[in-house]
Amino acid sequence: MFLSIFATAVDDGYGGTIYNPTLLGYTALVAVMIILLLLAAFLSSKTGKGRHAFSTRQLVFAALSIALATATSFLKLFDMPMGGSVTLFSMLFITLIGYWYGAKIGIVTAVAYGFLQLILDPYILSIPQMFVDYIFAFGALGLSGFFSQSRYGLIKGYLFGVLGRFVFAVLSGVIFFASSAEGTGMSPLVYSIAYNGSYLAAEAAITLILLALPPVRSAITQVKRLAVQD
């Protein structure tokens, strides 16, 4: 009864049941996303004279990255044969925040992005599946922050973030979508690896080619200076 306030059960068209957020459910998701962005700003604040100075610059860049990632996530370059789409570099915009500001703000920003994806394009079988597919998988893109001080940190961070998303996507496929492998001759694990690996690897490869272009590297360097300047 309590959960029905936030979501309604509907047929997914394949004989299963999915849950669509109600107006109150959407409101709650938006509220959580805003709180996460504010938390990201707090975590990224600087310490001075015994108190925290609120960093609006980092909050603005985090919000911009989420907006750009969301917009490009709906711009599909092409669809893969097994399913899944290659977007217009949407994951890159989220990993940039971790690369610029470190793992704490990177992960919180990525989780906020996951909540926004949940708001815009929900596919909910259960609460655990929702967390794995949206919060953990997209949140893993913020792992790029662990390479913020590393040489070639953007490349390493991007690959590590995508790998994190891949791990959670595969886990979701095995646990919640194992029936999709029926009739393919593959185990749920192999099928999930093939399905999720195909579109994530394709987008990662195209993004790395983009990052290898000198004008793109120069542009990202210029934006980083704006993003991290005092």
Side-chain angles (χ1 to χ4, degrees):
M1 177 64 71
F2 176 75
L3 290 178
S4 65
I5 299 175
F6 297 95
T8 56
V10 297
D11 192 299
D12 65 356
Y14 299 97
T17 301
I18 60 175
Y19 296 87
N20 288 336
T22 62
L23 178 59
L24 186 58
Y26 279 118
T27 302
L29 290 172
V30 171
V32 170
M33 186 185 68
I34 292 173
I35 290 170
L36 284 170
L37 286 176
L38 293 175
L39 177 61
F42 174 78
L43 291 174
S44 64
S45 62
K46 301 176 182 178
T47 303
K49 298 182 180 180
R51 61 179 182 176
H52 290 290
F54 196 88
S55 176
T56 55
R57 179 185 298 274
Q58 293 173 333
L59 177 60
V60 167
F61 273 92
L64 284 174
S65 76
I66 291 175
L68 288 170
T70 301
T72 53
S73 71
F74 290 102
L75 299 176
K76 306 297 195 313
L77 295 179
F78 51 87
D79 295 319
M80 298 301 292
M82 288 188 67
S85 301
V86 176
T87 70
L88 190 63
F89 316 114
S90 61
M91 294 186 292
L92 174 62
F93 294 107
I94 299 300
T95 56
L96 280 173
I97 296 300
Y99 170 60
W100 289 339
Y101 302 135
K104 285 184 178 180
I105 186 171
I107 291 173
V108 175
T109 300
V111 169
Y113 172 65
F115 270 102
L116 185 56
Q117 287 292 309
L118 178 59
I119 293 168
L120 296 175
D121 190 22
Y123 191 91
I124 305 171
L125 297 176
S126 64
I127 291 178
Q129 175 266 329
M130 179 189 75
F131 271 88
V132 174
D133 272 342
Y134 291 93
I135 311 308
F136 297 154
F138 286 110
L141 294 174
L143 297 174
S144 60
F146 287 112
F147 296 90
S148 61
Q149 303 300 320
S150 173
R151 187 181 182 187
Y152 305 116
L154 177 56
I155 301 296
K156 294 177 182 177
Y158 176 80
L159 289 174
F160 194 58
V162 173
L163 177 61
R165 181 182 171 187
F166 169 72
V167 169
F168 283 111
V170 169
L171 184 64
S172 174
V174 172
I175 297 175
F176 305 110
F177 298 96
S179 60
S180 299
E182 295 177 0
T184 66
M186 292 183 279
S187 69
L189 176 60
V190 172
Y191 181 83
S192 186
I193 290 173
Y195 174 87
N196 293 289
S198 62
Y199 68 89
L200 289 175
E203 182 169 333
I206 295 172
T207 302
L208 292 178
I209 293 173
L210 177 75
L211 293 176
L213 300 177
V216 174
R217 292 202 308 269
S218 177
I220 290 177
T221 299
Q222 293 298 324
V223 176
K224 182 181 179 181
R225 290 189 183 126
L226 293 174
V228 302
Q229 72 180 11
D230 295 329

